[in-house]
């Protein structure tokens, strides 16, 4: 009897990133305006997303964060989720479960200065980050209002200028090496978050 080796089902889109316009310039300005002026913090929490900031948390003065304020029906996260799930079905075909309460998206304010994120990193780690599958970054700022702050995806074809366009949603697998360069002029606002799923499949 001949034995036939069974190859796994392969997906050529594992190294794919996608980006497309989702929000208008006016909608981006409204999202930024919803930020709580007293909620910005330059300390990165060390535990699950809803844990308080630990006293010994690392501080990056060029980066301020706060939980993304949500409006009616979870806006703008509802639109982000809809778009990301649509492209997932066409591309990666991951089994997604959504946004867990302990790892909700952040609104980020990136100012001039060095940042830790200019080193290559992946968004999957231990504990509550281990079920991240898709990373998304929503560009909120007019690209002419700042310099630097570029998204780089390691060894992947990408449209750097397209990534910068206001209202553009960038989506890529959370296991992919990525970095953000320092801002050299102005201030950049964006939203970063992760869509989770069961153990990888």
């Amino acid at each position: 009897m001949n034995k036939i080796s069974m190859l796994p089902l392969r997906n050529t889109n594992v190294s794919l990133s996608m980006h497309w316009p989702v929000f208008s310039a006016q909608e981006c300005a409204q999202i930024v305006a919803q930020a709580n002026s007293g909620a910005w913090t330059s300390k990165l929490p060390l535990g699950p997303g809803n844990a308080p900031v630990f006293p010994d948390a690392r501080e990056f003065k060029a980066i301020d964060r706060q939980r993304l304020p949500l409006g009616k029906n979870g806006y703008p996260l509802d639109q982000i989720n809809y778009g990301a799930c649509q492209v997932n079905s066409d591309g990666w075909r991951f089994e997604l479960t959504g946004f867990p309460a302990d790892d909700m998206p952040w609104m980020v304010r990136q100012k001039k200065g060095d940042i830790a994120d200019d080193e290559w990193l992946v968004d999957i780690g231990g504990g509550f980050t281990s079920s991240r599958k898709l990373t998304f970054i929503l560009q909120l700022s007019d690209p002419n209002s700042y310099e630097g702050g570029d998204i780089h995806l390691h060894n992947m074809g990408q449209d750097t200028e397209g990534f910068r366009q206001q209202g553009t949603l960038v989506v890529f697998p959370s296991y992919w090496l990525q970095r953000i360069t320092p801002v050299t002029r102005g201030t950049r606002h964006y939203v970063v978050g992760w869509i989770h799923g069961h153990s990888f499949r």
Side-chain angles (χ1 to χ4, degrees), residues 47-74:
N50 287 337
V53 176
F54 291 85
D56 58 348
R58 296 177 66 190
E59 184 173 4
F60 304 112
K61 295 186 182 301
I63 292 278
D64 293 325
R65 302 171 179 85
Q66 65 175 272
R67 284 295 171 196
L68 174 65
L70 300 179
K72 186 177 181 181
N73 298 323

Side-chain angles (χ1 to χ4, degrees), residues 129-141:
T129 66
S130 62
S131 56
R132 291 174 175 174
K133 288 195 172 178
L134 289 178
T135 297
F136 65 83
I137 299 174
L138 172 62
Q139 296 292 106
L140 296 175
S141 294

Side-chain angles (χ1 to χ4, degrees), residues 56-201:
D56 58 348
R58 296 177 66 190
E59 184 173 4
F60 304 112
K61 295 186 182 301
I63 292 278
D64 293 325
R65 302 171 179 85
Q66 65 175 272
R67 284 295 171 196
L68 174 65
L70 300 179
K72 186 177 181 181
N73 298 323
Y75 179 86
L77 198 53
D78 57 342
Q79 291 191 32
I80 293 171
N81 182 56
Y82 178 77
C85 287
Q86 288 282 9
V87 296
N88 176 63
S89 66
D90 295 331
W92 308 283
R93 300 192 295 273
F94 295 150
E95 292 185 13
L96 303 175
T97 56
F99 307 95
D102 64 353
D103 198 26
M104 294 296 286
W106 295 90
M107 184 184 293
V108 182
R109 181 174 64 186
Q110 183 181 355
K111 299 166 289 187
K112 181 179 178 179
D114 294 331
I115 59 172
D117 290 346
D118 65 348
E119 300 176 358
W120 292 109
L121 54 87
V122 295
D123 286 340
I124 294 178
F128 73 102
T129 66
S130 62
S131 56
R132 291 174 175 174
K133 288 195 172 178
L134 289 178
T135 297
F136 65 83
I137 299 174
L138 172 62
Q139 296 292 106
L140 296 175
S141 294
D142 182 331
N144 296 316
S145 68
Y146 68 94
E147 294 177 359
D150 289 313
I151 304 167
H152 291 168
L153 302 176
H154 188 267
N155 199 28
M156 184 189 293
Q158 56 203 289
D159 179 5
T160 303
E161 286 304 310
F163 286 179
R164 291 175 61 88
Q165 297 310 303
Q166 190 172 23
T168 292
L169 184 66
V170 182
V171 183
F172 54 91
S174 297
Y175 54 70
W176 207 261
L177 278 170
Q178 42 108 350
R179 69 180 177 184
I180 295 176
T181 64
V183 165
T184 57
R185 178 186 65 83
T187 300
R188 171 182 175 240
H189 286 87
Y190 61 96
V191 174
V192 61
W194 308 269
I195 304 178
H196 288 241
H198 297 299
S199 295
F200 245 95
R201 60 178 185 265

Side-chain angles (χ1 to χ4, degrees), residues 12-64:
T12 58
N13 292 325
V14 294
S15 61
L16 176 71
S17 70
M18 297 189 184
H19 69 284
W20 69 102
V22 177
F23 296 93
S24 67
Q26 182 180 4
E27 289 172 321
C28 289
Q30 290 172 344
I31 293 170
V32 173
Q34 290 174 359
N36 182 343
S37 60
W40 294 107
T41 177
S42 57
K43 289 189 175 182
L44 180 64
L46 299 181
N50 287 337
V53 176
F54 291 85
D56 58 348
R58 296 177 66 190
E59 184 173 4
F60 304 112
K61 295 186 182 301
I63 292 278
D64 293 325

